[in-house]
Amino acid sequence: MALYYKSAKELAGMLSRREVSAVELTRAALDRAEQVEEKVKSFVTRTPDLALAQAEAVDRRRATGETLSSLAGIPVAIKDNMNTFGVRTTCSSKILANYIPPYDATVVDRLNAAGTVTVGKTNLDEFAMGSSTENSGFFTTRNPWDTSRVPGGSSGGSAAAVAVGEAVISLGSDTGGSIRQPAALCGVTGLKPTYGRVSRYGLVAFASSLDQIGPFGRTAEDVALALSAIAGHDRLDSTSAPVPVPDFTAGLNRGVKGLKIGIPREYLAAGISPAVREAVLRAVEVLVGLGAEAEEVSMPHTEYALSAYYVIAPAEASSNLARYDGVRYGVRAGEYSDLVDMFSRTREEGFGPEVKRRIMLGTYALSSGYYDAYYLKAQKVRTLVNKDFEEAFRRFDVLVTPTAPSVAFGIGQKTDPLAMYLEDVCTIPVNLAGLPGMSLPCGFAAPEPAAGVAGGGPTAGDGNGLRLPIGLQIIGKAFDEETVLRVGHAFQQATDYHKQRPALDAKGGARQ
Ligand code: GLN
């Protein structure tokens, strides 16, 4: 297998045994990007010089006999809404197109301390608002499994980069599904940690009560490695939790015997494609085969979560995005008559349509006379959604659901904003409750015909045509990422969905 497709765990072994140098590995990832980036477009900014300098530093340190972290020398990609000192950080928005941060986000700082090699900043839906990267102010990232399709979003660039071998690990952020849904659509593993597990310092805020940073990798084990490096209290983020950080790789092999798995029935209801439903139920059977116990459960407030999210998230966003006024940083409109005109022209020219829609929705929901009807009510719904989870977690160790309702859809296919919002029905409740959730590959299916297009329905595992990855979501109790990762690892020890690689545009599907 090509170097750039190996797991971080395998590469860590090779690096420490000096079978490969950090510079060689970095060159392999950079060369891979040279080869595929034109087709996939994962990156807003690539940083080959920085990467090689970091890799050389790791090799020099290793040569002195120093014991290094297992992530030392591993190529990583960072979503472009996390600040990187001296490296442009745009949020894929025209309004920040020229922004060069004077500091590193805490997660970047911690990865640097572990000796990772930064290969670039990845594309996203503008300010992380979207599920396809089509809302990027610059360009759309393509799904490596079929470049006429979206990679998911908003962390689409980070998911695609790992799926196609441009990075071994990447960071994304997840407010309503932005790590898990692109992980599902690109066939990689992605974890949204518990709210407060990872510092948000230096993450450009979208909806502060929901945002959380987490890793993408090719395996649950790699995700565990990355989480161990970035997690933990940070005095620069008062919402980061002062709880101990375990070594998330330590308990991975404990298996799932006797573990209680809940299958919330509402997550398999209308709107979920039959192929996805089948793959998720087959995955549960695999876990039961490994000794877990599974049972259906009802979470009756699930159907209200999406509506509550689309009040709360825009409300918070409208406040967070007030700072982009052309005064302190970012792009300023070229022509204006006075200060107020400068503000409004800057925002008119700088923000894309989805961001403007969210600002208007949020401002409306918070305005006097509507606050009680919308914002307050949404907060009450949030409490009810939390109670559903509390109830379920009295009986179960983890909950298992689909990550996304279907496989990757075509670029330009979802034109109605509401259709796009529905991509996150299975992931949003988890953010409202602040719980950890992970997506990992659990099967493949033929693409579904676009609405109104005649043709056969989706068939699981259609060996002849194009096959696209399906994601399984594992939801855990607050601060119990260990169990989520353990279930994911057990599943990956028993299956090989995560070992499939996209055969970039060679129609005919997955290849080892
Ligand atoms: N797709 C959802 C939205 O548009 C979630 C995005 C995210 O998690 N950042 O808000």
Side-chain angles (χ1 to χ4, degrees), residues 118-137:
T118 306
V119 294
K121 304 292 299 288
T122 58
N123 194 27
L124 60 145
D125 288 293
E126 185 175 4
F127 285 103
M129 297 173 187
S131 305
S132 69
T133 78
E134 290 166 294
N135 295 339
S136 165

Side-chain angles (χ1 to χ4, degrees), residues 95-408:
I95 214 161
L96 284 178
N98 62 2
Y99 177 58
I100 298 179
Y103 70 102
D104 279 322
T106 295
V107 286
V108 172
D109 216 28
R110 290 189 179 176
L111 284 182
N112 286 341
T116 61
V117 164
T118 306
V119 294
K121 304 292 299 288
T122 58
N123 194 27
L124 60 145
D125 288 293
E126 185 175 4
F127 285 103
M129 297 173 187
S131 305
S132 69
T133 78
E134 290 166 294
N135 295 339
S136 165
F138 306 138
F139 52 84
T140 300
T141 298
R142 318 238 148 196
N143 190 313
W145 295 85
D146 174 0
T147 53
S148 73
R149 289 170 191 276
V150 304
S154 65
S155 315
S158 285
V162 168
V164 81
E166 295 172 314
V168 178
I169 278 170
S170 62
L171 293 187
S173 65
D174 190 313
T175 306
S178 280
I179 293 173
R180 290 158 289 159
Q181 183 260 11
L185 271 47
C186 288
V188 296
T189 305
L191 172 76
K192 181 199 91 73
T194 311
Y195 184 81
R197 178 59 101 180
V198 177
S199 167
R200 293 182 295 112
Y201 181 73
L203 167 70
V204 179
F206 163 9
S208 309
S209 78
L210 300 159
D211 298 341
Q212 186 61 195
I213 295 172
F216 289 93
R218 302 200 180 96
T219 61
E221 190 171 38
D222 281 9
V223 163
L225 267 177
L227 182 64
S228 302
I230 62 172
H233 179 250
D234 174 15
R235 62 181 184 82
L236 298 172
D237 172 5
S238 62
T239 66
S240 69
V243 296
V245 178
D247 172 357
F248 290 103
T249 60
L252 285 177
N253 285 315
R254 295 218 307 268
V256 296
K257 217 176 173 68
L259 217 76
K260 296 201 171 45
I261 300 177
I263 309 160
R265 132 173 6 116
E266 290 78 4
Y267 286 74
L268 293 168
I272 304 297
S273 91
V276 169
R277 186 180 303 126
E278 275 169 37
V280 167
L281 293 175
R282 272 203 312 273
V284 171
E285 277 168 34
V286 170
L287 293 169
V288 168
L290 296 171
E293 294 163 25
E295 203 185 309
E296 250 194 33
V297 57
S298 173
M299 304 187 61
H301 298 99
T302 305
E303 63 171 311
Y304 307 113
L306 193 75
S307 315
Y309 173 89
Y310 276 100
V311 172
I312 296 169
E316 294 184 16
S318 68
S319 163
N320 276 327
L321 270 61
R323 73 190 71 172
Y324 305 105
D325 53 12
V327 176
R328 284 155 295 189
Y329 35 67
V331 174
R332 179 180 302 176
E335 285 175 33
Y336 47 87
S337 54
D338 57 21
L339 187 63
V340 173
D341 190 44
M342 191 277 281
F343 290 161
S344 52
R345 279 180 196 251
T346 296
R347 289 167 72 81
E348 164 62 32
E349 292 165 23
F351 289 137
E354 184 60 30
V355 174
K356 286 178 183 154
R357 181 177 297 120
R358 306 276 179 120
I359 292 173
M360 286 189 279
L361 282 172
T363 308
Y364 182 80
L366 289 175
S367 59
S368 147
Y370 295 101
Y371 181 93
D372 288 1
Y374 294 107
Y375 187 72
L376 196 64
K377 199 169 196 174
Q379 294 292 11
K380 289 179 177 170
V381 172
R382 185 173 189 174
T383 302
L384 293 174
V385 171
N386 291 353
K387 284 194 170 146
D388 276 1
F389 279 109
E390 271 171 31
E391 201 60 44
F393 279 122
R394 284 207 187 101
R395 289 167 54 204
F396 299 105
D397 298 301
V398 291
L399 302 172
V400 159
T401 75
T403 304
S406 63
V407 293

Side-chain angles (χ1 to χ4, degrees), residues 20-37:
V20 66
S21 71
V23 167
E24 282 162 355
L25 173 57
T26 299
R27 282 197 200 285
L30 296 176
D31 289 350
R32 177 63 174 165
E34 275 304 309
Q35 208 180 42
V36 300
E37 187 55 11

